[in-house]
């Protein structure tokens, strides 16, 4: 099963998106590989992608300035979606970092 096939299946399961509906959107999807430690989205930037994780794990986190510690906010795993939803939908800067 290709990455795009896995995405189509996940969208069908998650949102009931039919195969025909997915085909209409297929030109908008692209495959991007992230290495461990690479950022999907940075704090203070607008999230412009709605991602699907084929393999691996992503995390969203903030930095506690006083303690100098990272605090995980969300974890995203394989066969799930990754997005800074509020930032993506409203096209406003994100409040946290998202990293593989």
């Amino acid at each position: 099963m290709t990455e795009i096939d896995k995405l189509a299946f996940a969208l069908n399961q998650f949102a009931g998106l039919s195969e025909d509906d997915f085909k209409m959107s297929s030109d908008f999807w692209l495959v991007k590989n992230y290495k461990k430690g690479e950022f999907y989205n940075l704090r203070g930037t607008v999230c412009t992608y709605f991602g699907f994780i084929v393999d691996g794990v992503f995390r969203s986190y903030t930095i506690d300035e006083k303690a100098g510690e990272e605090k995980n906010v969300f974890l995203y795993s394989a066969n799930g979606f990754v997005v800074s939803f509020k930032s993506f939908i409203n096209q406003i800067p994100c409040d946290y970092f998202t990293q593989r």
Side-chain angles (χ1 to χ4, degrees), residues 10 16 28 36 47 79 85 94:
F28 296 99
K36 184 177 179 179
C47 181
N79 299 312
F85 194 73
C94 187

Side-chain angles (χ1 to χ4, degrees), residues 64-80:
D64 181 334
E65 299 294 332
K66 291 181 183 176
E69 296 176 348
E70 296 177 357
K71 298 192 182 237
N72 290 326
V73 179
F74 301 108
L75 295 175
Y76 311 91
S77 59
N79 299 312

Side-chain angles (χ1 to χ4, degrees), residues 27-86:
D27 290 341
F28 296 99
W29 297 100
L30 59 99
V31 176
K32 179 162 175 29
N33 295 305
Y34 288 85
K35 296 178 182 167
K36 184 177 179 179
E38 190 174 354
F39 285 94
Y40 177 79
N41 201 73
L42 295 170
R43 181 179 179 268
T45 64
V46 175
C47 181
T48 56
Y49 296 102
F50 182 83
F52 177 72
I53 304 168
V54 175
D55 184 35
V57 176
F58 285 74
R59 71 179 180 128
S60 289
Y61 67 94
T62 61
I63 298 176
D64 181 334
E65 299 294 332
K66 291 181 183 176
E69 296 176 348
E70 296 177 357
K71 298 192 182 237
N72 290 326
V73 179
F74 301 108
L75 295 175
Y76 311 91
S77 59
N79 299 312
F81 299 94
V82 59
V83 65
S84 298
F85 194 73
K86 181 179 168 184

